[in-house]
Each structure stands twice: as structure tokens, then as C-alpha cells.
Amino acid sequence: MIRCPAKAGRRKAVAAVWRCGGGSVIDTCKAANLYATYPADLLDYVNAPIGKGRPIPGPLKPHIACPTTCGTGSECTGITIFDLLAQHVKTGIASKRLRPSLALIDPATTYTLPRNVVAASGFDVLSHALESYTAKPYTRRAASPTPSLRPMSQGANPWSDVGCEAALKLAGQYLQRAVNDASDTEARDRMMYAATLAGIAFGNSGVHLPHGMAYSVAGLIRDYRTAGYPQDEPMVPHGMSVIVNAPSVFRFTASACPQRHIHGAHCLGAEVKGATDEDAAEILAGQLIKMMRATGIPNGIGGVGYGEADVEALTRGAWAQQRLLNNAPRETLQDDLRHLYRGGMSYW
Amino acid sequence: MIRCPAKAGRRKAVAAVWRCGGGSVIDTCKAANLYATYPADLLDYVNAPIGKGRPIPGPLKPHIACPTTCGTGSECTGITIFDLLAQHVKTGIASKRLRPSLALIDPATTYTLPRNVVAASGFDVLSHALESYTAKPYTRRAASPTPSLRPMSQGANPWSDVGCEAALKLAGQYLQRAVNDASDTEARDRMMYAATLAGIAFGNSGVHLPHGMAYSVAGLIRDYRTAGYPQDEPMVPHGMSVIVNAPSVFRFTASACPQRHIHGAHCLGAEVKGATDEDAAEILAGQLIKMMRATGIPNGIGGVGYGEADVEALTRGAWAQQRLLNNAPRETLQDDLRHLYRGGMSYW
């Protein structure tokens, strides 16, 4: 249900927007609210270099977001992401002005979701939290002297850490239950709350490589379809396109902040007693793989239809996401991305 | 330093307030902002039954709070507390409209604080978190059908729990260090952050008995003075007047939610392996007493000058704080308060 579709947003009489739906619907309405309030060409506010990156001039109309999936956390963030079909790229607009005025979060909207929707959106939550927790520390992010040019994504910081740890503990305890048993309303309630906590965290810290690599995993899909989603065209759900990269990524980033990787795995339920820095990569990757297998996630990037022949195209797509690559705890070159896609082709 | 003292607040030309100081200064400026924006008789907005409890009609002027002690968390709450000298009572105003627009929190302001100021404000933080975590669950608080009459303090809830747990872990790790070594800036930084986290939590959940009992402990003081504070009149610092009640209170409340008492003690650093519900009271009280002794806090209510002859007057003062008593996890009668004051006279 969309109460403020993009076209309606163009009418000047709009006084407020109310949106009810998953992340795509919420993101659409953020943009509708923006262009209704401060009319402009589509690309004016879009992130540079694809758009002009013009700052949003002032507050938008009041808007109330009602998420219906336990995933994106879009109700807490100032980010809207969309496919720019004309240029075959995924891009977005980022500004604290886009953050909804109010979120009404009712987990009962998730009780009838198919299991794969819960799995995909649940792993989106999990990865928001894990990426924000392992992001480049805020003390190492370059800060522009011009406040309007400073990125909303500040890197890992004490405030985002609080949300990340709480969301990871909930995901570790409830994700598998929420996917595998639709009648387990306690588990679905907790995953909805985890989505909000992770949204608060990543809207502040920012995500990095698993999300950056997901853009091309989703965008270049050939014939993969997911049960529980519309079957009319090939599609890999967002959270699935993220998590298939994650074990490969965390094996690469573990050396940058091993204790954070170990603690992340611990929050998810892994046994970490006696673990040393050298164990960080395998402990976290192993825990993720275990959870992916237990919830029917495809076996890596190969599991959604990619192979060695796709590595170049996947890498080109990810390389365009410099905003996200720059938030990773390690410098990531094009060759690293090739290595990460190859490492993520199959996990078991 | 007060940029907007109460009198200046009465001038209509005030466009915004900026305040820099401890909790009393911030609370004073919240009230100044209110009466400057919506002039009224002092008691109009004050909590009933002492005041008329009139709702604040609209948003206040923008205001920026800069706390200089790691204690009250007032920068995060919609509460202002003051002594109404004419009636010899402590009371306040509670409305989300009072919450500052922005807080600038610089822990460097605490580096020169005397150790007792850090101890008293640090235990205020710890008790905010512990009381919010053990407060009556939000599902058991009666909700008025009239939104404006619903208390801001909702009882323990999943959002306040996140802030409480994070603040308790920080207090467990850093309070003693912050008190005992002024050069330990890491510890003072972390306690400042704990104060903010606990402020977010208790501004939402609400405190209960240790704070409710503290009103008369502070108000009836005869000749107690604290090193590090002004010596011109007798005074027990707020956080000290709270924590001297705490072990006695948590021995009383443990049976209502023993696992929360055990987990609270665990966050503070206590060994809880193998603890049963029956151990909850002593584990938490014991951990608090250990921390009080390690930081030079007086030995209970007796330690600040009270004795058996004061129990009736102390109880009368606490009994007036129904807003706080109603947030306790157990029903608390006047006889219970007598018992709690007696139990708090001396701990070691």
C-alpha cells in the first residue's frame, strides 16, 4: 500500500506523506516527499558523480513510515536508493533531511511473510549491523571542513556500536526461528526490532563491502528467481544479494579489526572462547555460513547463477560504489574485489 | 556558566537558549525556555498535585545543552526538577517538549572535576540505568486513553534496555577508574558517554525507588558536607543521595524480576555464574556495596547523618513521590519505605 506514490508527490498540495511497505516503498516515498517539497530535476539531489549531489535546501514535509518487512531499517535512515535504469546503475540520495519524522513499527505486518522474505530481509539486518560494527572507525574517516559535504556515514562509532551489538544478539537468537517457523511471533517481533536497531546504527555508521558488492550481484542477475517473491522476472532479493558476499568479505577484513570480528561472531552465537586474532576470519565466516545454511540461503554468489566469467562485470559494478568501499576497514582495490567475488562463489 | 538564566528567559526577545553546566543548570534553562516561550504562573506546568500539570502548548525555542558533569543525562530528557522552597518539596515538570534540541557533549569538561563530583554523578548514572532496567515493565504500566496524560516514563522497555545495558557495562568498567584517577581520561570519557546512554534510557523508561527515596535524603540533610563541593551549607550531592538507598532497594525489588537484577550485576562486573533467582538480591546489592566502598561513598543513609529517629520524616518525603513509586517493579507501601530506609542505614 502506497499512500504517496512518486507522481502524487509532485503535486504541491501534499502536506505530509504516510508510507506503508518494505524498503523500496519507503525509499520511493522519501524521494516523492523531496521532489514535492523542493521541485528539481531528478539528478539534482542524487549522489555525485552520477547526480549533481545538490544539498537538500531545508526540512521536508512531515512523513510517517510504516515498515512491513523486518529488513531495511529505511524508516531510521536518511538514505533512498533506486535503480537508475537509463544508466543501468543503482544510486541514491543521502541527507538527514530524508529521515522520516516518525516510524510506526508493527511486527504483526511480518507474520504472513513467506520464509524467503524473512530470510533475505533478516540477513540484510544482520549485515547492516555487522558492516557498521566493522566499518572504518570514525576517527579514521576524512571529514570535510564544509559540514554539508560531510558524509552521513561516519564510520564505526560508540553510538552505532550500541545498536549493532543489540541487533546482532537478536539476529543470532531469533533469525533462524523467524525464518523457519511463521507461527513463532516472538522471533518475528524481535527481528523487526533488530531491523530498527540496525537501521539506527547503519544510518549513522554506514555499511561497506557486502552492500557495495551487492549492487552488481542484484543488477546483473540473469535468470535467478526466489520462491516467495514475484516470479515474473529474474530477481535476487536485496538481503540475499548482500549476504552471499559476506563470508568472503569478512575473511578479507578480519585482519583490520580482528577483535570486532570475533565479538560480532560471539554476538551471533558463535563459541569464541580462547580465540586469537588469527581465528577471527574463520570464526565469523563460519558462523555466517552456518546461519545461511540453516535458513535456505543460496550457496554463495555461484548459488544465484554467477561464475568466473562474471567476475569482471561484477567488479566493475562494485567499483562504482566508492562511497561504500571507502567505509571498509581495509583499502579495497579492484583486484581485491575480484578476489572477494571469487572467494564468495561457493561456501559449502 | 549560564547563558540563559531564569530571569533572562522571561524576556520575549529570546530566540534560543544555550546552556553549559551540570544537571541543575540544564534543568534551570529548560524551565527558563518554557516560561519565556509560553509565559504562565510558575505552578501551571508543574506536575500535579503540587502544580496544575498543564500540558506545554507547543514546541519551545531551540536549545543547546552542554553538560559538564558525567551524571544527570538531563541533555537527553524532557524532565526538569527543582526545589519548591515555599513548600519544602522537590518537584518538576515533565514533557517531551522540554527535551533539548541538541546536546554538545565534551568529556574534557570533566577532566578537572573533584573525585567526589565524579563519584556522585557516576553513581547517578549507574542508578539511572539500574532503575530503568528494573522498572515496572511497560506492558504493566496503566496507559491513559488521553495521550497528553500518558507519563513520559513508560517503564522498562526494549529501547531503554539497550541504553541501560550499555551504560551499566561502561559504569562497571570505568566508574572506579574515573573517580580514583583524574588523569585517566579514557575512563572519564567513557563515563560521560554512559551518562548520555543512561539519560536516553531513563528519559524513556523512568527511575523508581532509589531516586524517589533520595528526595528526602537530600532535602532533610542537617550538617553533612561533601569534600569537593561548596562548603557554605550542608548538602549531600544528588547521586550520593540516590546510591545510599540502592542496595536496600534492590534487596527489596529482586523478587519481582530476579533475572534482571542478576544481569544488571553481571553488566557491572559481578560474577554471576550459577546464580539462581534466590541469589539475585545479594549479588546486586553486594556488587553495589563493593563499588561504593571502592570510591569513597558514605556508608549508607547513616553515613550522611540520618538515624532511626529520621525514618518517619524520610518516609513522608518519599511517599509524596508517587510518580516514581509507581514505576517500581513491586508495589511499595509506606511500611515498605520505612523498611527500606532502615535497611539502608549502614551496609558495612
Side-chain angles (χ1 to χ4, degrees):
Chain A
M1 179 168 43
I2 308 180
R3 290 285 165 185
C4 177
K7 276 189 182 171
R10 298 238 174 99
R11 273 187 265 132
K12 282 197 180 163
V14 168
V17 296
W18 168 48
R19 60 256 186 151
C20 188
S24 307
V25 174
I26 296 183
D27 280 10
T28 302
C29 288
K30 282 179 182 173
N33 190 9
L34 168 58
Y35 290 98
T37 312
Y38 301 106
D41 287 341
L42 179 65
L43 288 177
D44 279 8
Y45 300 117
V46 170
N47 295 335
I50 291 164
K52 291 183 189 160
R54 188 179 138 192
I56 296 178
L60 305 193
K61 299 282 192 297
H63 43 149
I64 302 175
C66 311
T68 57
T69 58
C70 45
T72 67
S74 179
E75 71 278 10
C76 306
T77 76
I79 303 169
T80 173
I81 300 291
F82 61 93
D83 283 309
L84 187 59
L85 294 176
Q87 295 187 34
H88 299 284
V89 289
K90 216 167 169 175
T91 183
I93 308 171
S95 163
K96 66 178 181 178
R97 305 284 193 192
L98 290 173
R99 192 177 292 131
S101 334
L102 188 71
L104 295 179
I105 302 166
D106 182 353
T109 59
T110 69
Y111 293 171
T112 52
L113 288 179
R115 54 171 284 132
N116 274 337
V117 177
V118 178
S121 51
F123 275 108
D124 189 25
V125 171
L126 186 157
S127 209
H128 285 155
L130 214 42
E131 292 175 57
S132 298
Y133 192 66
T134 57
K136 186 182 284 183
Y138 74 106
T139 45
R140 276 176 47 212
R141 294 274 293 174
S144 165
T146 309
S148 66
L149 296 179
R150 287 182 202 154
M152 270 199 318
S153 301
Q154 307 169 37
N157 62 74
W159 173 243
S160 59
D161 286 352
V162 170
C164 292
E165 290 184 67
L168 287 171
K169 283 179 190 164
L170 289 169
Q173 212 173 340
Y174 295 105
L175 174 57
Q176 198 172 324
R177 283 172 49 183
V179 171
N180 291 330
D181 181 1
S183 72
D184 189 342
T185 54
E186 182 195 1
R188 291 203 171 185
D189 289 354
R190 300 300 177 96
M191 282 308 299
M192 192 69 154
Y193 184 43
T196 301
L197 289 169
I200 291 171
F202 93 84
N204 187 281
S205 162
V207 287
H208 58 85
L209 293 169
H211 269 76
M213 291 170 64
Y215 281 48
S216 47
V217 172
L220 301 173
I221 206 79
R222 276 187 296 265
D223 51 14
Y224 187 80
R225 284 170 173 79
T226 309
Y229 282 85
Q231 299 293 309
D232 46 343
E233 50 185 318
M235 193 268 280
V236 54
H238 170 67
M240 222 174 252
S241 73
V242 169
I243 205 67
V244 291
N245 311 312
S248 177
V249 165
F250 292 114
R251 283 174 171 147
F252 169 74
T253 54
S255 62
C257 44
Q259 287 302 319
R260 284 187 170 253
H261 285 65
I262 292 170
H263 185 64
H266 172 64
C267 290
L268 288 172
E271 177 54 70
V272 302
K273 207 173 162 184
T276 65
D277 286 1
E278 285 65 41
D279 305 321
E282 279 320 306
I283 284 182
L284 182 51
Q287 177 67 19
L288 290 174
I289 290 167
K290 186 175 138 196
M291 294 178 74
M292 290 161 71
R293 296 186 76 161
T295 48
I297 292 288
N299 184 1
I301 303 162
V304 297
Y306 293 104
E308 175 60 32
D310 301 304
V311 167
E312 276 313 305
L314 288 166
T315 298
R316 257 197 315 280
W319 186 246
Q321 310 303 329
Q322 288 294 322
R323 182 177 70 91
L324 300 178
L325 305 188
N326 281 333
N327 206 30
R330 277 183 67 173
E331 189 184 15
T332 310
L333 306 175
Q334 287 203 51
D335 250 1
D336 297 318
L337 288 171
R338 288 184 192 99
H339 163 78
L340 291 176
Y341 280 118
R342 286 193 182 105
M345 282 298 166
S346 157
Y347 295 116
W348 59 83
Chain B
M1 180 169 43
I2 309 181
R3 289 285 166 185
C4 175
K7 276 190 183 169
R10 299 237 174 99
R11 273 186 265 131
K12 283 197 178 163
V14 168
V17 296
W18 167 49
R19 60 259 184 146
C20 186
S24 307
V25 175
I26 296 182
D27 279 9
T28 302
C29 288
K30 283 179 182 173
N33 190 10
L34 168 59
Y35 291 98
T37 312
Y38 302 107
D41 285 341
L42 179 65
L43 288 177
D44 279 8
Y45 300 118
V46 169
N47 296 335
I50 291 165
K52 292 186 189 159
R54 187 179 139 192
I56 296 178
L60 305 192
K61 301 282 193 297
H63 42 149
I64 302 175
C66 311
T68 58
T69 58
C70 45
T72 68
S74 179
E75 70 278 10
C76 306
T77 76
I79 302 169
T80 173
I81 299 291
F82 62 92
D83 283 309
L84 187 58
L85 294 177
Q87 294 187 32
H88 298 284
V89 289
K90 216 167 170 176
T91 183
I93 308 170
S95 163
K96 65 179 183 177
R97 306 282 193 193
L98 290 173
R99 192 177 291 131
S101 335
L102 188 71
L104 295 178
I105 301 166
D106 183 353
T109 59
T110 69
Y111 293 171
T112 52
L113 288 180
R115 55 171 280 135
N116 274 337
V117 177
V118 178
S121 51
F123 275 108
D124 189 25
V125 170
L126 185 157
S127 209
H128 285 155
L130 213 42
E131 292 175 58
S132 298
Y133 191 65
T134 56
K136 185 182 283 182
Y138 74 107
T139 44
R140 276 177 46 211
R141 294 274 291 173
S144 166
T146 309
S148 66
L149 295 181
R150 287 183 203 153
M152 271 199 319
S153 301
Q154 307 170 36
N157 62 73
W159 174 243
S160 60
D161 285 352
V162 170
C164 291
E165 289 186 67
L168 287 172
K169 284 180 189 163
L170 290 169
Q173 211 173 342
Y174 296 106
L175 173 57
Q176 196 172 326
R177 282 172 50 183
V179 172
N180 291 330
D181 181 1
S183 71
D184 188 342
T185 55
E186 182 194 2
R188 293 205 168 184
D189 289 355
R190 299 300 176 96
M191 283 308 299
M192 193 68 154
Y193 184 43
T196 300
L197 290 169
I200 292 171
F202 92 85
N204 187 281
S205 162
V207 287
H208 59 87
L209 294 169
H211 269 75
M213 290 170 65
Y215 280 49
S216 47
V217 171
L220 300 174
I221 206 78
R222 277 187 294 266
D223 52 14
Y224 186 80
R225 285 171 171 79
T226 309
Y229 283 85
Q231 300 293 308
D232 45 345
E233 51 185 318
M235 192 268 277
V236 54
H238 170 66
M240 222 175 252
S241 73
V242 169
I243 205 67
V244 290
N245 312 311
S248 178
V249 165
F250 292 115
R251 282 175 172 146
F252 169 73
T253 54
S255 62
C257 45
Q259 287 302 318
R260 284 187 170 252
H261 286 64
I262 293 171
H263 185 65
H266 172 63
C267 290
L268 288 173
E271 177 55 73
V272 302
K273 207 171 162 186
T276 64
D277 286 1
E278 285 66 41
D279 305 322
E282 281 318 307
I283 283 182
L284 182 52
Q287 177 66 19
L288 290 174
I289 291 167
K290 187 174 138 196
M291 294 178 75
M292 289 161 72
R293 296 186 76 161
T295 48
I297 292 288
N299 183 2
I301 303 161
V304 297
Y306 294 104
E308 175 61 31
D310 301 303
V311 167
E312 276 312 305
L314 288 165
T315 297
R316 257 196 315 280
W319 186 247
Q321 310 302 330
Q322 289 294 323
R323 182 177 70 91
L324 300 177
L325 305 189
N326 282 333
N327 205 30
R330 277 183 69 172
E331 191 185 15
T332 310
L333 305 175
Q334 287 202 51
D335 249 0
D336 297 318
L337 288 171
R338 287 183 193 102
H339 164 77
L340 292 174
Y341 280 119
R342 285 192 183 106
M345 282 296 165
S346 157
Y347 295 115
W348 59 83

PDB file of all heavy atoms in Angstrom, chain A residues 1 12 88 105 110 129 180 182 205 228 237 248 250 276 300 347:
ATOM      1  N   MET A   1       0.854  -1.194   0.000  1.00  0.00           N
ATOM      2  CA  MET A   1       0.000   0.000   0.000  1.00  0.00           C
ATOM      3  C   MET A   1       0.892   1.248   0.000  1.00  0.00           C
ATOM      4  O   MET A   1       1.752   1.395   0.848  1.00  0.00           O
ATOM      5  CB  MET A   1      -0.855  -0.026   1.258  1.00  0.00           C
ATOM      6  CG  MET A   1      -1.761   1.153   1.389  1.00  0.00           C
ATOM      7  SD  MET A   1      -2.978   0.885   2.700  1.00  0.00           S
ATOM      8  CE  MET A   1      -1.991   0.162   3.998  1.00  0.00           C
ATOM      9  N   LYS A  12       1.774  20.068  -5.536  1.00  0.00           N
ATOM     10  CA  LYS A  12       2.231  20.944  -4.450  1.00  0.00           C
ATOM     11  C   LYS A  12       1.361  20.863  -3.206  1.00  0.00           C
ATOM     12  O   LYS A  12       1.763  21.271  -2.138  1.00  0.00           O
ATOM     13  CB  LYS A  12       2.277  22.389  -4.950  1.00  0.00           C
ATOM     14  CG  LYS A  12       3.513  22.624  -5.808  1.00  0.00           C
ATOM     15  CD  LYS A  12       3.812  24.091  -5.964  1.00  0.00           C
ATOM     16  CE  LYS A  12       5.061  24.260  -6.826  1.00  0.00           C
ATOM     17  NZ  LYS A  12       5.194  25.609  -7.347  1.00  0.00           N
ATOM     18  N   HIS A  88      21.706   2.064 -16.149  1.00  0.00           N
ATOM     19  CA  HIS A  88      21.969   0.712 -15.607  1.00  0.00           C
ATOM     20  C   HIS A  88      22.786   0.757 -14.317  1.00  0.00           C
ATOM     21  O   HIS A  88      23.694  -0.040 -14.127  1.00  0.00           O
ATOM     22  CB  HIS A  88      22.697  -0.168 -16.639  1.00  0.00           C
ATOM     23  CG  HIS A  88      21.901  -0.374 -17.877  1.00  0.00           C
ATOM     24  ND1 HIS A  88      20.824  -1.227 -17.956  1.00  0.00           N
ATOM     25  CD2 HIS A  88      22.006   0.202 -19.095  1.00  0.00           C
ATOM     26  CE1 HIS A  88      20.298  -1.177 -19.158  1.00  0.00           C
ATOM     27  NE2 HIS A  88      20.988  -0.309 -19.883  1.00  0.00           N
ATOM     28  N   ILE A 105       6.027   1.063  13.852  1.00  0.00           N
ATOM     29  CA  ILE A 105       6.597  -0.245  13.540  1.00  0.00           C
ATOM     30  C   ILE A 105       5.759  -1.326  14.201  1.00  0.00           C
ATOM     31  O   ILE A 105       5.749  -1.444  15.432  1.00  0.00           O
ATOM     32  CB  ILE A 105       8.062  -0.306  14.019  1.00  0.00           C
ATOM     33  CG1 ILE A 105       8.847   0.810  13.335  1.00  0.00           C
ATOM     34  CG2 ILE A 105       8.678  -1.662  13.713  1.00  0.00           C
ATOM     35  CD1 ILE A 105      10.195   1.079  13.945  1.00  0.00           C
ATOM     36  N   THR A 110       4.580  -8.620   9.653  1.00  0.00           N
ATOM     37  CA  THR A 110       5.509  -9.619   9.103  1.00  0.00           C
ATOM     38  C   THR A 110       5.027 -11.052   9.320  1.00  0.00           C
ATOM     39  O   THR A 110       5.677 -11.986   8.857  1.00  0.00           O
ATOM     40  CB  THR A 110       6.910  -9.497   9.753  1.00  0.00           C
ATOM     41  OG1 THR A 110       6.837  -9.915  11.132  1.00  0.00           O
ATOM     42  CG2 THR A 110       7.442  -8.081   9.697  1.00  0.00           C
ATOM     43  N   ALA A 129      24.230  -4.573  10.594  1.00  0.00           N
ATOM     44  CA  ALA A 129      24.855  -4.474  11.912  1.00  0.00           C
ATOM     45  C   ALA A 129      26.326  -4.872  11.852  1.00  0.00           C
ATOM     46  O   ALA A 129      27.187  -4.201  12.427  1.00  0.00           O
ATOM     47  CB  ALA A 129      24.095  -5.348  12.912  1.00  0.00           C
ATOM     48  N   ASN A 180      12.193 -20.095   9.916  1.00  0.00           N
ATOM     49  CA  ASN A 180      11.743 -21.481   9.790  1.00  0.00           C
ATOM     50  C   ASN A 180      10.398 -21.781  10.422  1.00  0.00           C
ATOM     51  O   ASN A 180       9.880 -22.883  10.260  1.00  0.00           O
ATOM     52  CB  ASN A 180      12.818 -22.419  10.357  1.00  0.00           C
ATOM     53  CG  ASN A 180      14.060 -22.421   9.475  1.00  0.00           C
ATOM     54  OD1 ASN A 180      13.952 -22.219   8.265  1.00  0.00           O
ATOM     55  ND2 ASN A 180      15.227 -22.623  10.063  1.00  0.00           N
ATOM     56  N   ALA A 182       6.786 -19.669  10.826  1.00  0.00           N
ATOM     57  CA  ALA A 182       5.985 -18.441  10.690  1.00  0.00           C
ATOM     58  C   ALA A 182       5.116 -18.214  11.917  1.00  0.00           C
ATOM     59  O   ALA A 182       4.701 -17.084  12.189  1.00  0.00           O
ATOM     60  CB  ALA A 182       5.117 -18.513   9.435  1.00  0.00           C
ATOM     61  N   SER A 205      26.643   4.957  11.031  1.00  0.00           N
ATOM     62  CA  SER A 205      27.992   4.449  10.763  1.00  0.00           C
ATOM     63  C   SER A 205      28.206   4.199   9.277  1.00  0.00           C
ATOM     64  O   SER A 205      29.234   4.584   8.707  1.00  0.00           O
ATOM     65  CB  SER A 205      28.170   3.141  11.546  1.00  0.00           C
ATOM     66  OG  SER A 205      29.240   2.397  11.042  1.00  0.00           O
ATOM     67  N   GLY A 228       8.694 -17.342  -3.119  1.00  0.00           N
ATOM     68  CA  GLY A 228       8.112 -16.406  -2.155  1.00  0.00           C
ATOM     69  C   GLY A 228       8.116 -14.976  -2.663  1.00  0.00           C
ATOM     70  O   GLY A 228       7.500 -14.094  -2.069  1.00  0.00           O
ATOM     71  N   PRO A 237      16.681 -11.136  -4.122  1.00  0.00           N
ATOM     72  CA  PRO A 237      16.274 -10.137  -3.124  1.00  0.00           C
ATOM     73  C   PRO A 237      17.505  -9.437  -2.536  1.00  0.00           C
ATOM     74  O   PRO A 237      18.572 -10.047  -2.405  1.00  0.00           O
ATOM     75  CB  PRO A 237      15.564 -10.963  -2.050  1.00  0.00           C
ATOM     76  CG  PRO A 237      15.236 -12.269  -2.686  1.00  0.00           C
ATOM     77  CD  PRO A 237      16.253 -12.502  -3.740  1.00  0.00           C
ATOM     78  N   SER A 248      32.994 -14.100   2.399  1.00  0.00           N
ATOM     79  CA  SER A 248      34.220 -13.781   1.665  1.00  0.00           C
ATOM     80  C   SER A 248      34.787 -12.430   2.120  1.00  0.00           C
ATOM     81  O   SER A 248      35.986 -12.280   2.339  1.00  0.00           O
ATOM     82  CB  SER A 248      33.908 -13.770   0.162  1.00  0.00           C
ATOM     83  OG  SER A 248      35.050 -13.406  -0.575  1.00  0.00           O
ATOM     84  N   PHE A 250      34.320 -10.840   5.062  1.00  0.00           N
ATOM     85  CA  PHE A 250      34.832 -10.795   6.432  1.00  0.00           C
ATOM     86  C   PHE A 250      36.127 -11.597   6.590  1.00  0.00           C
ATOM     87  O   PHE A 250      36.923 -11.321   7.479  1.00  0.00           O
ATOM     88  CB  PHE A 250      33.741 -11.181   7.438  1.00  0.00           C
ATOM     89  CG  PHE A 250      32.641 -10.136   7.503  1.00  0.00           C
ATOM     90  CD1 PHE A 250      31.344 -10.418   7.089  1.00  0.00           C
ATOM     91  CD2 PHE A 250      32.923  -8.850   7.938  1.00  0.00           C
ATOM     92  CE1 PHE A 250      30.350  -9.444   7.115  1.00  0.00           C
ATOM     93  CE2 PHE A 250      31.934  -7.865   7.972  1.00  0.00           C
ATOM     94  CZ  PHE A 250      30.647  -8.169   7.552  1.00  0.00           C
ATOM     95  N   THR A 276      42.009 -16.380  19.053  1.00  0.00           N
ATOM     96  CA  THR A 276      43.057 -15.376  18.870  1.00  0.00           C
ATOM     97  C   THR A 276      42.740 -14.565  17.615  1.00  0.00           C
ATOM     98  O   THR A 276      41.847 -14.916  16.844  1.00  0.00           O
ATOM     99  CB  THR A 276      44.422 -16.047  18.670  1.00  0.00           C
ATOM    100  OG1 THR A 276      44.367 -16.789  17.430  1.00  0.00           O
ATOM    101  CG2 THR A 276      44.744 -17.008  19.807  1.00  0.00           C
ATOM    102  N   GLY A 300      26.375 -19.034  -1.835  1.00  0.00           N
ATOM    103  CA  GLY A 300      27.286 -18.019  -2.360  1.00  0.00           C
ATOM    104  C   GLY A 300      26.804 -17.399  -3.665  1.00  0.00           C
ATOM    105  O   GLY A 300      25.663 -17.591  -4.104  1.00  0.00           O
ATOM    106  N   TYR A 347      30.446 -21.670  -0.776  1.00  0.00           N
ATOM    107  CA  TYR A 347      30.951 -21.772   0.595  1.00  0.00           C
ATOM    108  C   TYR A 347      30.883 -23.181   1.184  1.00  0.00           C
ATOM    109  O   TYR A 347      31.466 -23.454   2.206  1.00  0.00           O
ATOM    110  CB  TYR A 347      30.179 -20.823   1.523  1.00  0.00           C
ATOM    111  CG  TYR A 347      30.371 -19.355   1.199  1.00  0.00           C
ATOM    112  CD1 TYR A 347      29.306 -18.577   0.782  1.00  0.00           C
ATOM    113  CD2 TYR A 347      31.628 -18.754   1.318  1.00  0.00           C
ATOM    114  CE1 TYR A 347      29.474 -17.226   0.498  1.00  0.00           C
ATOM    115  CE2 TYR A 347      31.795 -17.404   1.042  1.00  0.00           C
ATOM    116  CZ  TYR A 347      30.716 -16.650   0.636  1.00  0.00           C
ATOM    117  OH  TYR A 347      30.887 -15.316   0.358  1.00  0.00           O
TER     118      TYR A 347
END
